[in-house]
Amino acid sequence: MHRDQGRHRLRCPRARSRLTEELLARRYGVSRVPVREALRTLEAEGFVVTRRHAGACVAEPTEQEAADLLEMRMLLEPLGASRAAQRRTEAHLKVLRGLVRLGQERARRGNSEDLRSLGGWFHETLAQASGSPALTSMLTQLRHKISWMYSVEAPANPVESWAEHGAIVDAVARGDAERARAVTALHTERSTAAHRLRFRAAGDRQERVRNSQHPVNMPSLRH
């Protein structure tokens, strides 16, 4: 990545109309209290920022910040697999093996949409098998942020990709923490190469993140 790219920001769309707590509550059929709490949670997780006199808005991460998330995942996913090899239960193994069987079957059939969902469930279960709520929470938040910032191309060879999932489960089942870490590190590195930012830099003009939302006027959250 070019060193100047990190200075470019994923711009929050300009508001064509202001959205207030009341309007959000009406849209989702809830009171203003859960709307306010949800926005505070999103702000704590880095998805939303609140500025004085401007209200709340979708966060504007730099390209470097987005790249850092992928690097963090490449460090934490192998750690989670290593812990899973030491702490997994038979219930975790049963679910992981079932997901691998389904994934390998779907990969042979070429059903990419099913594979995307199965891959997400696989990595969520692997994180839970680590026996570390803090690590599981961090990995879950990373996956959500990464899916918000990036689109992911289907693997060129889904059968090979799911063979890697199978190798991870084999290592976890044997209690081989180092093997689980190594195979997961390779798998995560390969999958990272398929991630594409949801915007393109074109001189000084940026294509906005497609799933960004309108700024929200939140006077009650002003600092």
Side-chain angles (χ1 to χ4, degrees):
M1 180 181 294
H2 192 280
R3 64 184 179 183
D4 289 332
Q5 285 181 323
R7 300 184 185 132
H8 294 166
R9 291 190 171 270
L10 311 184
R11 295 296 180 185
C12 179
R14 294 182 181 278
R16 294 183 179 178
S17 61
R18 286 280 183 188
L19 296 178
T20 63
E21 285 182 30
E22 182 179 359
L23 289 175
L24 285 172
R26 190 182 307 160
R27 173 183 295 178
Y28 296 107
V30 297
S31 71
R32 293 175 62 173
V33 173
V35 170
R36 187 179 304 120
E37 291 176 351
L39 285 168
R40 284 174 175 165
T41 298
L42 290 170
E43 183 172 16
E45 294 178 351
F47 292 100
V48 168
V49 293
T50 303
R51 300 186 180 90
R52 186 184 298 275
H53 307 307
C57 170
V58 172
E60 302 175 83
T62 64
E63 289 189 27
Q64 184 59 63
E65 288 166 346
D68 286 346
L69 293 179
L70 292 178
E71 186 173 1
M72 290 169 64
R73 194 189 67 159
M74 285 194 289
L75 294 172
L76 293 180
E77 289 275 9
L79 174 61
S82 174
R83 293 282 177 84
Q86 300 167 329
R87 303 175 180 176
R88 89 295 185 282
T89 66
E90 287 303 314
H92 289 130
L93 283 178
K94 182 177 181 179
V95 174
L96 288 168
R97 284 168 171 157
L99 289 169
V100 167
R101 283 196 298 272
L102 283 173
Q104 290 175 340
E105 176 186 333
R106 300 295 193 276
R108 288 192 293 269
R109 294 182 179 180
N111 193 325
S112 59
E113 287 305 314
D114 280 357
L115 290 178
R116 192 180 302 276
S117 297
L118 289 171
W121 293 337
F122 176 89
H123 287 286
E124 287 177 13
T125 305
L126 184 64
Q128 291 168 6
S130 72
S132 171
L135 181 57
T136 301
S137 177
M138 290 181 68
L139 283 169
T140 298
Q141 190 176 135
L142 273 175
R143 281 193 293 273
H144 288 166
K145 285 187 175 180
I146 288 169
S147 66
W148 172 53
M149 296 179 189
Y150 290 90
S151 60
V152 183
E153 296 177 352
N157 190 337
V159 172
E160 180 180 355
S161 177
W162 277 92
E164 292 172 0
H165 286 89
I168 293 170
V169 175
D170 289 343
V172 168
R174 292 197 307 270
D176 189 340
E178 288 307 311
R179 173 65 176 169
R181 182 192 295 269
V183 176
T184 303
L186 177 62
H187 173 73
T188 306
E189 182 178 357
R190 287 179 176 172
S191 66
T192 294
H195 286 67
R196 300 289 180 268
L197 280 171
R198 293 183 182 273
F199 76 100
R200 295 188 302 273
D204 292 330
R205 298 183 62 185
Q206 313 295 315
E207 182 178 289
R208 295 176 176 86
V209 176
R210 287 196 290 271
N211 60 351
S212 290
Q213 299 179 19
H214 295 295
V216 181
N217 185 27
M218 296 286 293
S220 60
L221 296 185
R222 290 173 183 169
H223 299 304

